[in-house]
Amino acid sequence: MGAIGTLETGHVGLNVTDLERSLAFYRAVFGFEVMAEGKEEDRRWAFLGREGRLLVTLWQQSTGSFDTAAPGLHHLSFQVGTIDEVNAAAEVLRALGAEFAHDGVVPHGEGGTSGGIFFADPDGTRLEIYAPSGADPADAPTPGAPTCGFF
């Protein structure tokens, strides 16, 4: 092992095209609080978290939409405690008109019990909300491969 001891993921920074739209989406879906915000016209940004922990930063400095064919971020995943929480998030997303990759909760793989929902934010960034169990007995949408890798 190298010089780094304990290691865990910090926050994830996302480029967005419309900070207000993205703020509304991420707050509604994930219950994030705005921890800090930059409101200068040419420097719009927001730090989002829960219970005092920074989790996602939004930076209004892009145009277009998320390019699934470009190198970089594949998707951003959030784990919750139960499938009921996943289903509650799905209801919020449906009300927001979010685009889903699959219909309802799906397992992470064939015969798996972990799984969740796969969807896109307003800029097309691929997102996932999953629980460690409760996704069975649904069929995996991508036989022989991890669901989260192919949406």
Side-chain angles (χ1 to χ4, degrees):
M1 182 172 202
I4 296 175
T6 301
L7 182 67
E8 61 181 60
T9 302
H11 69 274
V12 174
L14 299 174
N15 280 338
V16 300
T17 59
D18 181 332
L19 185 65
E20 293 305 318
R21 178 180 70 172
S22 292
L23 266 175
F25 178 86
Y26 281 90
R27 292 182 79 189
V29 175
F30 297 100
F32 286 141
E33 61 191 59
V34 177
M35 300 175 74
E37 187 173 1
K39 297 184 178 186
E40 294 177 41
E41 191 53 41
D42 61 340
R43 291 189 181 192
R44 307 254 357 254
W45 54 270
F47 286 4
L48 306 176
R50 290 180 70 179
E51 300 174 1
R53 181 173 178 214
L54 178 64
L55 296 169
V56 173
T57 61
L58 303 176
W59 307 92
Q60 183 177 297
Q61 53 181 274
S62 62
T63 60
S65 62
F66 183 74
D67 184 355
T68 60
L73 180 72
H74 182 276
H75 74 285
L76 178 56
S77 176
F78 294 91
Q79 179 179 320
V80 297
T82 67
I83 285 295
D84 288 341
E85 291 173 275
V86 175
N87 286 320
E91 288 303 313
V92 171
L93 287 159
R94 282 187 197 92
L96 293 171
E99 178 184 328
F100 288 84
H102 308 291
D103 186 26
V105 172
V106 295
H108 280 134
E110 294 176 75
T113 60
S114 70
I117 54 175
F118 300 83
F119 58 97
D121 79 356
D123 287 306
T125 301
R126 295 185 293 199
L127 301 168
E128 169 188 5
I129 298 175
Y130 77 96
S133 64
D136 52 333
D139 292 330
T142 311
T147 302
C148 63
F150 300 93
F151 74 101

